[in-house]
Amino acid sequence: MAGSGIVEGKKFLITGVLTDASLAFNVARLAQEQGAEVVLTGAGRGIRLTERAARRLPDPPDVLPCDVTLPDEIEAVRADLEQRWGRLDGLLHAIGFAPASCLGGNFLHAPWEDVATALNISAYSLASLTSPMAPLLAEAKGSVVGLTFDASVAWPVYDWMGVAKAAFESAARYLAKSLGPQGIRVNLISAGPIRTMAAKSIPGFAEFEDAWTQRAPLGWDITDSEAVARSTLALMSDWFGGTTGEIVHVDGGYHAMGA
């Protein structure tokens, strides 16, 4: 119903849609259902998958090329959004990647070149993507939301991706500090494990699934990302106007339970 959505009339840039199982896909779907206009980004050869997923959304959005390791592509996205909308109400960062050598119990042997790739794409990109968008976000007093996986502890098989997520979470706090005077909020959603394409690439991911099923007091469905999407969209809306630098756990309560 027109005028009834919590993000009615908002303009959102959403990264990280690879398939319709991606967490970001369901955020984009829900955003459209709640009245927002959405643009997606894709990178490299994967952009074809993003374009295919985009066609499954209620209102298929444009997909802009944006490899977060290439400043020229980020600048091209910024220029497009400035001309298209003149402001940006929300930015979803749902990007993460680590070479295989950085995962699966190889922590002590991963070479720096691969670790650097993981840190660049999975952590530094929060700043490299957000900073150029800051004037557009400031125009709207907008919200930046990133997706993380609890980096306060060491996980089996997660290895250098866990280190990257720790850097990601710290970067979010520093961005909140730096951008708050412009009215821009920066928050994170710490989600429980969801069976996405990215998750399937992590060796031993089933260990996470089993642990959550047993310990989350609210229970946890690894195939259902609706709770994560709703919480993410709430942070991107005006409903959390006084919240920044926060990590909201959407994990069935797992993080609060002892071993």
Side-chain angles (χ1 to χ4, degrees):
M1 292 182 293
S4 63
I6 66 167
V7 290
E8 190 71 35
K10 299 287 189 185
K11 315 294 186 184
F12 290 157
L13 179 66
I14 295 182
T15 70
V17 173
L18 199 58
T19 72
D20 57 5
S22 300
L23 291 174
F25 177 89
N26 283 317
V27 176
R29 173 189 55 78
L30 190 60
Q32 289 187 338
E33 291 173 355
Q34 292 291 316
E37 189 174 349
V38 166
V39 165
L40 306 183
T41 69
R45 289 177 293 180
I47 197 169
R48 294 183 180 179
L49 293 176
T50 303
E51 291 168 344
R52 185 182 306 166
R55 292 194 288 270
R56 298 190 178 105
L57 286 168
D59 182 13
D62 288 343
V63 178
L64 304 179
C66 187
D67 182 331
V68 291
T69 68
L70 301 176
D72 287 348
E73 290 200 3
I74 296 175
E75 171 56 26
V77 172
R78 185 209 62 78
D80 179 289
L81 298 181
E82 183 174 33
Q83 183 175 24
R84 181 189 299 256
W85 292 330
R87 74 175 203 271
L88 187 59
D89 296 285
L91 166 62
L92 176 65
H93 183 291
I95 300 167
F97 172 77
S101 66
C102 295
L103 299 163
N106 200 44
F107 184 82
L108 295 177
H109 306 291
W112 165 245
E113 292 77 11
D114 289 351
V115 171
T117 296
L119 292 172
N120 187 6
I121 297 175
S122 305
Y124 178 70
S125 64
L126 182 61
S128 65
L129 183 61
T130 299
S131 296
M133 307 299 167
L136 296 174
L137 288 161
E139 184 69 27
K141 298 294 187 287
S143 171
V144 177
V145 179
L147 300 181
T148 190
F149 187 74
D150 188 1
S152 64
V153 296
W155 295 101
V157 309
Y158 210 45
D159 293 352
W160 284 101
M161 193 63 177
V163 176
K165 287 299 186 184
F168 182 73
E169 293 177 6
S170 184
R173 290 187 285 270
Y174 278 96
L175 281 171
K177 173 180 179 291
S178 300
L179 298 176
Q182 299 177 54
I184 302 168
R185 294 169 286 129
V186 183
N187 295 289
L188 302 180
I189 292 286
S190 182
I194 299 291
R195 193 175 288 171
T196 63
M197 182 177 290
K200 290 176 183 177
S201 70
I202 300 173
F205 182 77
E207 294 182 39
F208 295 118
E209 299 177 352
D210 295 341
W212 250 263
T213 300
Q214 295 167 13
R215 283 182 50 191
L218 290 177
W220 190 253
D221 184 348
I222 59 171
T223 65
D224 185 2
S225 61
E226 187 70 13
V228 176
R230 287 175 176 268
S231 302
T232 301
L233 197 66
L235 282 178
M236 295 177 76
S237 76
D238 295 332
W239 284 41
F240 280 80
T243 301
T244 197
E246 186 60 87
I247 300 177
V248 177
H249 289 81
V250 186
D251 64 353
Y254 179 98
H255 73 283
M257 300 297 108

